[in-house]
Every structure is written in C-alpha cells, then in structure tokens.
Amino acid sequence: DPHRTLGVGCHLVLPLFRIAFQPCYRVTGWQQHAMGPFSRRHSRQHSRQPGRTGADRGGDEGKPDMVTRQLNLADLFEVVVDTVPQRQALVAGPVRLTYRELDERANRFAHYLVDQGIDPGAHIGILAHNCAEWVEAMVGCFKARMVPVNLNFRYVAPELRYVVDNADLAALVYERALSPLVAESFEATDNGAAVRVPGVLLVIEDGTDGGVDTGLRTVEYETALASARPERRFGPRSSDDVYMLYTGGTTGMPKGVV
C-alpha cells in the first residue's frame, strides 16, 4: 500500500528533521515507538529524563522537559538503517542497495581509512561522477568523524591541484576515468613547486579500460572495502563534527565553506 508506506516514512522522517534542526526537541510517545533504536541507543545522551514535566521539578507545571541529543548525520543515517534495513536506499544505474547494504559498505570504507592511520577530522576528497561509491564514501566519512570534500569532475588540473593542497587531503577517492586529470594534477609545476599528494589513493573501477599510469601507489576501491570490517564499532561522535563544501571555482579558485 503506497499510502501506508508514505505515512510510515513521514512519521519517521519528520521527527528526524525536527531533532536535527531543534537540538532540544522532545520526542513524543508515538515517535519514540517509530524511532525505537534511536531512543534506546541515545538515551544515555539525554540531559534530562524524557517525560518529566516542570511540575516534577517544582518548575512550571505541565510544561514538558526538553531533551538534548548529540547528533550528527551518521547517527541519523544509522537510525534509518536500524528501522528499515531491507528498504531500498540507493539506485545508481544498475546498482541497487538496501539501507543495510549501504550501511555495511560505508562501514567498510570508514574502517579502511582508520586502518590506514587516518584520524578523525581528516579531510577525504571524493572525485567522481554520480555513483553509489560517492554516497558510500561520504557516509563512511561521517561515520568515522572524517570530513568528505567534494571535488568537481569538471575541475582542470590547476584547480584540482589547488583544492588537494588547500583542503589538506589525507586521502583521495577517484574514478578510473578521471585518472588523466589526477595524473596531470600531480605533475610537477612549471616553477618547480612541490605538489602535495594524499597518502591514500583509492580508485573506483568504472569500466574504463586501462587508464593513465599516474606512477602513484593506488588501491582499488573494492579491494579496500573487501579488506575492512562491515560492522560499525566506531567511537563517540559529536554534533560539532565538520561538514565542508567546495565551490565550483567559476569566479576564481574553489573556496571551501565549513
């Protein structure tokens, strides 16, 4: 029944949005039922006990307590995964992923970066057309408290070189078809200035034959995911975790907005 599905979706999504944008929003009883995993998992983060009123504490009678929750986008995503794990989450060409599958692949991506010694707060560049791997990498960064940095596939080499250095990228994920751009970006400049190359380079196989030999040490994206754990097991997150977006660079060099 599409109407029932829409109704359940609205009951889940609306409180998520309210909690995300109203840090002191109080979840009602039916929303707690719909968001059971969230309510249980984050109950330890409540600054006050839900359901108590001002009268219980000798304050304004009848006024509900406000509940403070520390959230970020990874927390919200995992709430949806735990609630509707088998529902289709992503369609990208022939690729179809449920929420559980997307969650596991994002976990693998995050764990791989952690296993490479990359710390929370590090900037991870993603250079690709619209694809499932783009979303997996972005969610994986949020899970490990790293910062995904969007890289426009329309950048020319000087722009990409500038953003890689300006964003201080610890890792770069890019499509095989964009190897020529990456290779040119990492070539020595005319003035002999050193070119900064991220320590981890992951290549998404997109069906492109061969590609340019960049002379760099790269790892295939799927190989990296296969070597990492699918479970979550991440440390505590914060609502202050950073999100960064780079502009297209149409009126000068791209600029990062935090």
Side-chain angles (χ1 to χ4, degrees):
D1 184 347
H3 298 291
R4 179 179 177 81
T5 302
L6 177 62
V8 172
C10 288
H11 287 160
L12 177 63
V13 172
L14 291 179
L16 283 178
F17 270 101
R18 294 196 66 178
I19 291 171
F21 293 103
Q22 299 179 30
C24 291
Y25 170 63
R26 180 173 180 269
V27 180
T28 62
W30 66 265
Q31 290 166 346
Q32 287 177 348
H33 175 72
M35 300 168 59
F38 172 86
S39 299
R40 292 190 296 272
R41 184 171 53 187
H42 297 276
S43 60
R44 65 183 181 277
Q45 298 176 351
H46 295 186
S47 63
R48 299 177 184 173
Q49 295 178 9
R52 294 180 62 195
T53 65
D56 296 327
R57 304 185 312 277
D60 296 334
E61 184 175 356
K63 290 188 177 180
D65 243 347
M66 307 305 282
V67 177
T68 301
R69 301 175 185 274
Q70 299 297 318
L71 297 178
N72 68 12
L73 292 176
D75 293 322
L76 296 177
F77 173 76
E78 289 175 356
V79 169
V80 179
V81 172
D82 293 341
T83 306
V84 287
Q86 298 303 327
R87 188 164 297 178
Q88 186 166 272
L90 181 65
V91 176
V95 178
R96 302 288 191 275
L97 295 176
T98 65
Y99 278 102
R100 176 175 293 165
E101 291 169 337
L102 178 57
D103 185 57
E104 291 179 353
R105 288 178 64 81
N107 290 339
R108 289 179 181 274
F109 179 84
H111 282 305
Y112 179 82
L113 295 184
V114 172
D115 292 343
Q116 304 311 302
I118 300 179
D119 297 323
H123 297 172
I124 311 300
I126 308 174
L127 177 64
H129 298 80
N130 291 342
C131 59
E133 292 85 354
W134 214 117
V135 179
E136 295 166 3
M138 179 182 67
V139 175
C141 287
F142 291 143
K143 283 173 171 286
R145 300 189 65 187
M146 298 174 189
V147 184
V149 176
N150 63 301
L151 299 173
N152 194 334
F153 59 82
R154 293 188 177 90
Y155 284 158
V156 294
E159 291 174 326
L160 180 59
R161 182 186 305 118
Y162 170 82
V163 175
V164 168
D165 180 69
N166 183 259
D168 193 23
L169 297 185
L172 174 63
V173 183
Y174 65 95
E175 282 183 301
R176 177 72 68 186
L178 297 173
S179 292
L181 172 60
V182 173
E184 185 180 355
S185 300
F186 291 155
E187 289 177 353
T189 59
D190 294 337
N191 60 10
V195 177
R196 187 182 178 282
V197 179
V200 175
L201 298 172
L202 298 180
V203 182
I204 301 171
E205 295 298 345
D206 54 9
T208 303
D209 292 333
V212 175
D213 182 7
T214 61
L216 302 169
R217 181 177 177 272
T218 63
V219 177
E220 291 185 2
Y221 180 87
E222 291 298 332
T223 300
L225 263 61
S227 69
R229 303 183 303 280
E231 301 84 14
R232 291 176 184 168
R233 298 182 184 176
F234 300 105
R237 301 186 184 113
S238 168
S239 57
D240 293 328
D241 286 351
V242 174
Y243 180 78
M244 180 181 292
L245 181 70
Y246 265 81
T247 63
T250 54
T251 57
M253 282 299 184
K255 298 173 180 63
V257 180
V258 179

